[in-house]
Amino acid sequence: DIQMTQSPFSLSASVGDRVTITCRASQSISRYLNWYQQKSGKAPKVLIYSASSLQSGVPSRFSGSGSGTDFTLTISSLQPEDFATYYCQQSQSFPLTFGQGTKVEIK
Amino acid sequence: QVQLQESGPGLVKPSETLSLTCSVSSGSISGYYWSWIRQPPGKRLEWIGYIYYSGSTNYNPSLQSRVTMSVDTSKNQFSLSLTSVTAADTAVYYCARYIRATDYYLDYWGQGALVTVSS
């Protein structure tokens, strides 16, 4: 199985801050990397697919980059509704696997 | 907008079978792949497997010996069966649509169903 490792595990930030979350795959996954946002008690919601494609309806302050084994999710200006847990997920091979999550909290 | 809704017992006894159904509305089940994902309390998401509308399946090897998925296109539903459950199977179970074309991702999710394994 491909192991997905995110960093940091959690972070505290203020509204308006630029936030970066990193995801590393245990082997190359080309650009088959997706990012999801999960708010407490809710289902995950896809933000970014194929490393850098913005899902329809997702604000443009979210962006993704990377290829191979190293990927980044960036929130350009953190908004109150962005406080949540973010997961990366690889679709290079089965079984699909997820990172452990990064919790973004209010500073 | 496609909507998914999980249904099934919230409490299952150890060694018994967990059964969940996902109902799809505002869209057809035909032509797509449909997945089950679970999230144990405080842990990361775990992909259980997918079923294509035609009935072909792909399961996570870690659960393959205990998992069966089925689809009923006439009811626009698909189902999950997990046998011989233990406390480790306690989780929120999500159903989701899996896009598998030029891009590969889970685009629509159900709200999730908490299943507790306990006697």
Side-chain angles (χ1 to χ4, degrees), chain A residues 20-39:
Chain A
T20 299
I21 299 169
T22 297
C23 178
R24 175 165 288 176
S26 60
Q27 64 189 71
S28 178
I29 57 171
S30 185
R31 293 177 60 81
Y32 296 109
L33 189 284
N34 309 309
W35 289 99
Y36 300 85
Q37 176 194 66
Q38 186 178 35
K39 296 183 178 179

Side-chain angles (χ1 to χ4, degrees), chain A residues 34 36 38 43 50 87 91 98, chain B residues 39 44 94 103-104 106 110:
Chain A
N34 309 309
Y36 300 85
Q38 186 178 35
S50 300
Y87 293 91
S91 293
F98 292 83
Chain B
Q39 187 171 34
R44 74 177 69 193
Y94 296 100
D103 302 296
Y104 303 81
L106 299 149

